[in-house]
Amino acid sequence: MIDNPFVQALIFILPSYVANASPVLVRKVIKVTHPIDLGKNFIDGKRVLGDGKTFEGFFIGVIAGCAVGSLLAMLSLHTLWGSFILSLGTLLGDIMGSFIKRRVGIKRGEMFPFLDQLLFLITSVTLYSLMVEPLPLTWVIFLLVITPWLHLLTNYLAFKIGLKDVPW
Ligand code: CTP
Ligand code: MG
């Protein structure tokens, strides 16, 4: 089996990465989407989450994360339940991120360094640790270091091939 801890950590987090990346496809495949905040404003007069967080994106993210998780489960490299928890944590973190961004006045689609790249990881790993099992500290540290770079690289590639309007 795979005994390199860094490769193990990357395989473990793959459902989370896929869950985080796949909602961007929503705009390409679905014409009419529905914002999770139902278009409503918060008490500060700004949108609760904004148009970048849709029900369709949420479900596509969770389903895509579970799909990868079930493939990995067939190879005994993950569990379906574990990949579901990681995917759910990812999309919940994504929503939390937008809520925070709107409160501090960052517009939908604008970058919030570190929060955009790391909050989804922190929430998915935290939920997994609470609901499934704690993770090796080495994995967590490695993922915290590598994820912002991978996030920036994949978003840049998604921008280059026309999936995203911004390179972050
Ligand atoms: N997306 C979606 N539903 C989600 C998450 C993402 O439909 N729950 C889609 C939206 O089209 C969004 C795109 O994926 O614009 C990129 O996601 P993200 O970068 O997370 O959203 P932003 O548009 O940057 O919005 P925010 O500033 O609120 O993060
Ligand atoms: Mg964004």
Side-chain angles (χ1 to χ4, degrees):
M1 285 312 280
I2 296 153
D3 47 18
N4 182 312
F6 300 124
V7 178
Q8 286 173 343
L10 284 174
I11 291 172
F12 165 78
I13 207 65
L14 199 60
S16 176
Y17 284 174
V18 170
N20 188 245
S22 47
V24 77
L25 296 170
V26 159
R27 277 189 318 158
K28 300 281 165 191
V29 294
I30 303 176
K31 269 235 165 71
V32 183
T33 54
H34 302 83
I36 294 173
D37 68 4
L38 307 174
K40 301 226 183 307
N41 289 343
F42 196 59
I43 45 173
D44 56 9
K46 296 173 198 153
R47 283 288 293 274
V48 180
L49 301 173
D51 288 330
K53 299 295 116 108
T54 68
F55 285 109
E56 290 80 359
F58 186 93
F59 290 119
I60 284 183
V62 173
I63 289 167
C66 290
V68 169
S70 47
L71 287 179
L72 293 173
M74 284 178 205
L75 304 168
S76 304
L77 293 170
H78 226 302
T79 60
L80 186 53
W81 172 243
S83 65
F84 168 72
I85 292 297
L86 279 180
S87 307
L88 188 66
T90 298
L91 272 301
L92 291 176
D94 188 45
I95 288 174
M96 279 168 59
S98 292
F99 182 78
I100 295 168
K101 284 168 82 174
R102 298 305 87 83
R103 301 293 72 75
V104 298
I106 297 176
K107 292 203 180 69
R108 176 249 170 120
E110 282 177 9
M111 204 216 279
F112 189 148
F114 296 104
L115 184 127
D116 278 346
Q117 291 87 24
L118 280 178
L119 187 58
F120 81 92
L121 176 75
I122 292 167
T123 52
S124 69
V125 162
T126 303
L127 195 64
Y128 186 93
S129 305
L130 294 173
M131 301 285 292
V132 187
E133 58 182 354
L135 295 172
L137 187 61
T138 44
W139 287 21
V140 177
I141 294 169
F142 170 68
L143 291 172
L144 284 171
V145 172
I146 194 98
T147 300
W149 304 104
L150 283 175
H151 192 273
L152 288 170
L153 176 70
T154 49
N155 277 281
Y156 179 72
L157 294 176
F159 167 70
K160 277 286 177 195
I161 62 171
L163 282 177
K164 292 203 76 166
D165 296 335
V166 287
W168 52 81

